[in-house]
C-alpha cells in the first residue's frame, strides 16, 4: 500500500493559528525560514528515497523560484496551497477563483511544470463552499486534498466521506481527504500536522496501519516546513492554545518523521489520486 506524503509549504508566520496576530502586510519584513526548512526536507526525502507532493503557497513560490525548480528536479510533485493562505470559506467564489489562478500561474512559471493538485489552506473546503470544486475543475485541476472529514475547532467537514470522492457529476476531479481513523465509532484526525507532532508516534502508526489493513485504503499524511524548525521566532500575543499547539515537539519532529517515512510506503499525491479515482464515490448532490 503506497500512502500519500505531502508538505504544506508555508512559513512560520503564515499559519492559520496566527492569522489574527500577524498582519499579512508585515510578512515581507519577517525572518524568511521556509527555504532552509524545505531544503532540509528535500535532504530527508532523498535519504529515505521517497517522493512526495509539496502544496506550496503562490506567495512563497514568487519569492523562491529556484527552490520550486529544485523540488521538481528531485522528482517531487509541486502543487498549489493557494496564494496567501486565505481560507476558502472566507473568500467567496470569485475571490477564490482569482486566488487559485494567481497561485497556479506563479507556481507554473517558477517550476516549468503543470500544476494539477490543490490543497485548501487549513482544509477550508467544506459544506460552506459548494462552488469551490467547480472553480478547481474549470481551472484544470485533476485533484484536491482539501477536506478534513472530522470536527475540529478550526476546520472540518464532519459528514464528508473519509476516502476519495467525486464532488462534481460533470468532472473527473477527485477529492482525497486527509486521513482519519475510526475508534469506538468516532473519527479521529490522524493525517499529520500538529496531531502527529503532539501525540505519541505509536498513535500514528496504529492509525495508518488501521487505514491500510482494515479500510484497505492509502493514508494521506501532511506536515509543514516550520514543524521541523525549533529555532523559528516565537510569536508574541498569540492565544496560549495556539502557542502550545504550534511549538510542542518541534525539536523531535524531524526524527519522528523519518521513523514514519521509513516504516511505511509513501509516494506523490497526484499518483495516489489517480489510483484512488477508481474507488471514488459520487457525492450526492
Ligand atoms: Zn497551510
Amino acid at each position: 500500500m503506497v500512502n500519500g506524503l505531502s508538505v504544506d509549504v508555508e512559513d512560520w508566520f503564515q499559519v492559520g493559528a496566527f492569522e489574527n496576530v500577524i498582519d499579512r502586510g508585515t510578512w515581507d519584513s519577517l525572518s524568511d525560514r521556509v527555504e532552509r526548512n524545505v531544503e532540509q526536507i528535500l535532504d530527508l526525502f532523498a535519504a529515505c528515497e521517497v517522493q512526495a507532493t509539496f502544496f506550496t503557497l503562490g506567495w512563497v513560490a514568487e519569492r523562491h523560484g529556484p527552490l520550486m525548480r529544485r523540488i521538481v528536479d528531485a522528482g517531487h510533485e509541486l502543487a498549489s496551497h493557494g496564494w496567501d493562505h486565505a481560507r476558502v470559506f472566507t473568500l467567496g467564489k470569485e475571490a477564490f477563483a482569482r486566488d487559485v489562478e494567481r497561485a497556479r500561474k506563479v507556481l507554473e512559471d517558477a517550476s516549468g511544470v503543470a500544476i494539477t493538485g490543490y490543497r485548501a489552506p487549513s482544509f477550508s473546503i467544506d459544506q460552506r463552499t459548494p462552488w469551490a470544486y467547480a472553480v478547481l475543475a474549470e481551472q484544470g485541476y485533476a485533484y484536491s486534498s482539501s477536506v478534513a472529514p472530522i470536527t475540529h475547532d478550526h476546520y472540518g467537514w464532519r459528514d464528508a466521506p473519509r476516502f476519495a470522492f467525486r464532488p462534481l457529476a460533470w468532472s473527473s476531479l477527485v477529492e482525497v481527504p486527509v486521513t482519519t481513523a475510526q475508534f469506538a465509532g468516532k473519527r479521529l484526525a490522524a493525517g499529520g500536522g500538529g496531531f502527529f507532532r503532539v501525540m505519541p508516534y505509536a498513535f500514528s502508526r496504529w492509525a495508518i496501519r488501521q487505514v491500510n489493513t482494515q479500510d484497505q485504503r492509502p493514508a494521506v499524511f501532511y506536515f509543514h516546513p516550520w514543524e521541523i524548525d525549533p529555532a523559528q521566532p516565537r510569536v508574541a500575543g498569540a492565544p496560549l492554545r495556539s502557542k502550545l499547539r504550534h511549538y510542542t515537539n518541534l525539536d523531535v519532529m524531524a526524527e519522528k518523521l523519518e521513523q514514519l517515512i521509513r516504516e511505511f510506503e509513501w509516494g506523490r499525491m497526484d499518483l495516489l489520486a489517480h489510483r484512488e479515482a477508481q474507488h471514488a464515490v459520487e457525492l450526492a448532490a
Side-chain angles (χ1 to χ4, degrees):
M1 185 75 75
V2 181
N3 300 291
L5 182 58
S6 60
V7 187
D8 291 359
V9 180
E10 62 204 37
D11 218 329
W12 59 273
F13 48 82
Q14 297 173 312
V15 302
F18 296 151
E19 78 175 355
N20 296 323
V21 189
I22 303 174
D23 189 88
R24 276 182 172 69
T26 66
W27 283 2
D28 268 319
S29 68
L30 299 171
S31 159
D32 185 324
R33 301 186 64 85
V34 71
E35 178 141 349
R36 62 177 290 284
N37 292 335
V38 170
E39 291 287 1
Q40 196 185 325
I41 292 164
L42 288 171
D43 289 347
L44 172 65
F45 288 175
C48 297
E49 297 182 10
V50 72
Q51 282 166 347
T53 293
F54 289 74
F55 293 104
T56 303
L57 291 181
W59 194 95
V60 169
E62 191 176 52
R63 288 157 179 80
H64 297 280
L67 182 65
M68 302 301 108
R69 265 274 177 214
R70 290 201 290 281
I71 289 171
V72 167
D73 287 347
H76 304 294
E77 181 197 9
L78 186 67
S80 172
H81 195 35
W83 181 257
D84 66 354
H85 220 267
R87 286 168 295 166
V88 180
F89 56 74
T90 67
L91 288 173
K93 185 177 180 183
E94 278 70 37
F96 175 60
R98 286 194 297 276
D99 180 284
V100 286
E101 189 173 14
R102 186 179 180 200
R104 198 186 55 190
K105 186 166 185 335
V106 168
L107 288 161
E108 290 185 343
D109 286 351
S111 67
V113 299
I115 301 300
T116 62
Y118 174 75
R119 170 165 291 150
S122 306
F123 300 102
S124 55
I125 288 183
D126 58 27
Q127 64 279 9
R128 288 169 287 184
T129 61
W131 33 263
Y133 288 120
V135 168
L136 293 174
E138 280 160 13
Q139 293 199 19
Y141 286 90
Y143 79 95
S144 158
S145 180
S146 302
V147 166
I150 51 153
T151 315
H152 180 275
D153 56 348
H154 293 305
Y155 55 78
W157 180 0
R158 198 189 59 188
D159 302 322
R162 290 177 61 219
F163 299 105
F165 63 91
R166 277 186 214 286
L168 302 167
W170 51 270
S171 165
S172 59
L173 181 91
V174 178
E175 166 65 40
V176 189
V178 67
T179 288
T180 53
Q182 296 265 40
F183 183 74
K186 281 201 154 55
R187 287 182 186 182
L188 306 176
F195 298 98
F196 176 74
R197 205 162 19 89
V198 172
M199 300 282 283
Y201 177 78
F203 169 76
S204 293
R205 175 199 281 140
W206 166 82
I208 294 172
R209 276 194 191 147
Q210 196 210 35
V211 167
N212 285 173
T213 58
Q214 286 183 31
D215 298 305
Q216 303 212 331
R217 299 259 55 84
V220 171
F221 183 85
Y222 75 98
F223 67 99
H224 306 91
W226 54 263
E227 290 187 277
I228 58 159
D229 183 9
Q232 67 189 276
R234 294 302 190 261
V235 177
L240 181 62
R241 187 171 183 174
S242 302
K243 285 200 265 194
L244 284 176
R245 244 184 222 160
H246 190 94
Y247 298 121
T248 300
N249 288 346
L250 295 175
D251 52 338
V252 295
M253 180 68 172
E255 218 174 292
K256 225 169 162 181
L257 265 177
E258 179 160 357
Q259 188 176 0
L260 184 82
I261 292 169
R262 293 195 187 277
E263 184 156 357
F264 295 92
E265 291 275 321
W266 300 98
R268 293 162 51 138
M269 288 294 299
D270 54 348
L271 303 178
L272 180 144
H274 187 73
R275 288 192 303 273
E276 286 299 285
Q278 60 184 306
H279 303 284
V281 298
E282 302 280 338
L283 197 61

